[in-house]
Structures are given as C-alpha cells and as structure tokens.
Amino acid sequence: MTGPGPDSPILIIGTERSGSNLLRLILDAHSRITIPHPPHFMRFLAPLARSYGDLGDARNRARAVGDALGLLRRHIHPWPHQVEAGRIIADPAGPGLFGIVAAIYEQHRAAVGKARWGCKSTFMVDHVADVLGVFPDARFVWLVRDPCDVASSAKRAVFGPSHPYRMAQLWRAQQESAQAALDTWGPGVVHLLRYEDLVSNPEEEVGRLCDFLGEKPEPAMLKHHTSAAARQTAGLAGAWRKAGQPVSADRIGAGRRGLNTRERLWVDKVAGPVKQSLGYPVDPRAGTTRAPGALSVALRSVQLRARIEYRSMREDDNHRARLSRDVYIRWLRLKALVRGGFRPSARGTVPAARRGSA
C-alpha cells in the first residue's frame, strides 16, 4: 500500500454524535488541511442521482450543481466563500455526483489557501467506493464512539434519531459499513479511531492520525478550540457548544447518565455484537431484553423531537436555517419524483429531513 498523495482528501466516516466536530476542528487547525462543516451533499443528493440523468451532459450537470449549491446556501453552518457554479458545470472534479461535490470542496480549498480538503459528513461511510473512484489516494478516518454515549447525545440533539433504539439501529448499520470498508481497502486507506482514545490521549492519537495522513503534527491541532472556526461553530447551536472548549474526556460514559437502564439495554440488544467487536462492553442482560414496540418507539420519538425542537427554537442561532434546509430537501425530492428516479435512503430508519444532520 502506497502512502496518501500529498493533496489527497480526508473523509471522516462513522456516525454523528461521535465527536466528528471535534475531529474536524483538530484537523482544520492544521496548516495544510481545511475541513469546513459539511452540507451533507451526498447524504441528501445521492438518493436523487438517477433523476438527474447522465451527468456527462452539461444540462443535467447544471441541474445537479444548482441543487447542491442550493443546499450550500441553506447550510446550517455557513461557508465563508462563494462557490462558482459555472466552473463546476464546465469542469467537475470527477465523474458522477461525487465529482460535483469534490469540485465544490476544491473551490473552498483554493479560497482558504490550504493544500488538502476534508469532509466530515459521516454519512460518507456509504460512499467510500464513489470517493476512491475519483481520488484513489483518499484517506478515511473511521471515528467510532460507544453507542450508548451516542444515543444519549442524540436524545437531546437536533441531529440524528432521538429514540435510543433507532439510534442504535443506525449506529450498527454504519459501523458495519465502515468495517466493510476497512476489510476491503485495508488500514492504509481506513484508519479506525475511537473517540474515547482521542479524548483520553489526544497528543498520541493525533500523532498516529497524522502519520496515517502523511502529515506532521502541529501544536495548533490541540489548540483547535481557540480558532475562529471553533468559535463560530460553538456559537451556532447548543449541540456544538463544546467546540469552543479544549479536548476533554468528561463525556466518556455519557450513556450512563443520559439513558435509563432499559434504554441502555435496548442499545446493547441492537448493537451488541458490533459494539463488542470494537472493544466496548455489552450488558449480558441485553440478549433477553424485550425490544420496544413500533408504536411505542414512534410515540416516544415524537415526544422527544417536540422537546428538542422547542429547545432549539429558543437556543440555537441556526434553528431557522435548519428548518429552511429541511423544507428545501423535501422540495428537491418532490422535483426528483416528478422527473423520475428518486431512490429513498437504504437506511430505512427515519427520513433524513426529519431526523436532521449535523
């Protein structure tokens, strides 16, 4: 396995609420790397890809570029620079939808004057092959966190399924996809990083990560919280407040505080084998725990979501932007249905526009 190309992109994959904003800001603080907060282009546009037709055709490509830039304009975490649609239509970075996405990121990279761009949309775990088809030297950081802690965070955040049982289902599916990528392309392409190790031993883990990426560690990476990017992130939403703080291990074990016993057992019932394979303990009672009924999950999800939205409306500066984005996503899906070729998400848990994305 050869090392990464000097300018190859970096993608953080896994599951939201696993510390991806922390890792994004650590890497973004490097003098050669820029990782803007993601509009989740592939997450929202990949199900529409067939409706665009052949993206080798300039008219079809223009339609896809227009939809992608519409997402960017409604992004819950604004980018600092304008992206020129004409340049992408005339010369995308590669074939297919990801070629368009890559061209958008490339314009951002050029605007900020860094050598490499990265993407922290953890949903890219489902598009590893697409990325490697355009950038064979791309590198993926599989960031994983104890699913009970993930579910505890999601229970109170606007991003991700709020019900622990649903969050566990999504966590299991995404870790299985990440494991398949690691098995297929190997540790030279996919680097497994546990959130708990990152926050407990940041200097060591950042050093190992830089070795994987072919970069030299820089002191600024562990002072990420002092950057303008961290301050901007921390000020936009309650779920991101810790972005403006130093690396801390105080959120390890959050599931013991944020979930009740039954909820933790539900998570372990769903995620148990995968959780155990990644070095996390599983409660032996989980196997005999009764799964919640579908109606119970649905009703509890509505209750949790109502609380979350009320709190977000009061506390989050980007609340209206998120609602505008979600309306826009539904509009894109309606247009795709009219054109033909809309393919709903294969995840089958909760529609993306309702469950949100960080």
Side-chain angles (χ1 to χ4, degrees):
M1 175 66 65
T2 60
D7 302 329
S8 57
I10 302 160
L11 296 100
I12 300 169
I13 58 174
T15 300
E16 292 183 301
R17 313 314 302 160
S18 298
S20 57
N21 248 327
L22 169 64
L23 182 56
R24 174 183 80 85
L25 290 166
I26 289 173
L27 289 170
D28 187 73
H30 195 283
S31 62
R32 284 178 37 84
I33 301 170
T34 178
I35 306 185
H37 194 280
H40 300 290
F41 293 115
M42 294 296 286
R43 172 74 185 97
F44 295 127
L45 297 181
L48 318 181
R50 288 171 53 192
S51 75
Y52 295 122
D54 178 10
L55 292 177
D57 181 278
R59 290 173 299 178
N60 294 339
R61 193 161 62 248
R63 184 182 297 119
V65 170
D67 288 353
L69 295 185
L71 268 178
L72 184 58
R73 286 192 298 273
R74 293 164 178 82
H75 188 23
I76 59 177
H77 194 302
W79 285 16
H81 304 286
Q82 293 292 323
V83 173
E84 297 179 28
R87 288 171 53 191
I88 302 171
I89 296 168
D91 187 21
L97 187 60
F98 182 72
I100 290 172
V101 173
I104 294 173
Y105 273 91
E106 175 59 25
Q107 283 198 36
H108 168 81
R109 181 205 63 77
V112 299
K114 291 194 177 183
R116 302 174 74 173
W117 60 264
C119 173
K120 89 102 190 167
S121 180
T122 54
F123 298 103
M124 292 303 294
V125 70
D126 293 320
H127 302 285
V128 174
D130 294 323
V131 176
L132 291 173
V134 177
F135 297 102
D137 291 335
R139 291 297 178 261
F140 299 83
V141 184
W142 172 15
L143 182 64
V144 63
R145 184 185 184 190
D146 186 317
C148 283
D149 293 356
V150 171
S152 175
S153 179
K155 192 177 175 182
R156 294 163 178 80
V158 294
F159 311 116
S162 52
H163 196 289
Y165 192 75
R166 287 182 172 177
M167 191 70 239
Q169 291 174 317
L170 179 63
W171 184 92
R172 180 186 65 189
Q174 291 179 323
Q175 307 327 302
E176 289 174 343
S177 293
Q179 183 65 61
L182 176 57
D183 292 343
T184 300
W185 287 286
V189 173
V190 180
H191 176 74
L192 174 59
L193 174 59
R194 291 184 7 139
Y195 167 83
E196 294 80 7
D197 296 334
L198 175 62
V199 298
S200 298
N201 302 291
E203 187 171 355
E204 178 182 344
E205 292 300 326
V206 168
R208 292 180 62 235
L209 177 58
C210 285
D211 285 345
F212 166 72
L213 297 174
E215 300 287 353
K216 293 181 179 179
E218 296 180 353
M221 300 176 77
L222 295 180
K223 297 178 181 177
H224 70 282
H225 58 288
T226 65
S227 68
R231 291 194 298 272
Q232 180 192 19
T233 299
L236 285 172
W240 299 336
R241 293 288 183 259
K242 284 187 171 291
Q245 300 175 15
V247 176
S248 170
D250 65 357
R251 295 302 295 165
I252 295 178
R256 293 192 296 271
R257 303 182 293 273
L259 302 180
N260 60 41
T261 300
R262 183 172 57 175
E263 290 170 334
R264 290 195 297 272
L265 288 172
W266 284 339
V267 171
D268 280 8
K269 183 178 184 66
V270 171
V274 178
K275 182 180 178 182
Q276 201 162 32
S277 73
L278 291 167
Y280 299 106
V282 174
D283 193 312
R285 298 173 294 173
T288 57
T289 297
R290 187 174 182 177
L295 180 59
S296 171
V297 171
L299 291 175
R300 179 59 172 159
S301 295
V302 169
Q303 182 186 45
L304 288 169
R305 179 56 54 182
R307 292 179 183 176
I308 289 167
E309 291 295 345
Y310 177 68
R311 184 168 57 247
S312 177
M313 182 176 61
R314 294 177 58 197
E315 300 177 1
D316 294 347
D317 288 347
N318 62 1
H319 174 74
R320 289 186 179 181
R322 181 169 55 82
L323 295 181
S324 173
R325 180 199 65 177
D326 291 351
V327 170
Y328 180 69
I329 291 167
R330 288 181 170 87
W331 170 240
L332 293 182
R333 290 175 174 174
L334 178 60
K335 290 196 299 180
L337 281 171
V338 172
R339 294 195 303 265
F342 171 58
R343 179 179 59 81
S345 172
R347 285 290 174 209
T349 51
V350 184
R354 283 191 305 169
R355 75 172 179 236
S357 297

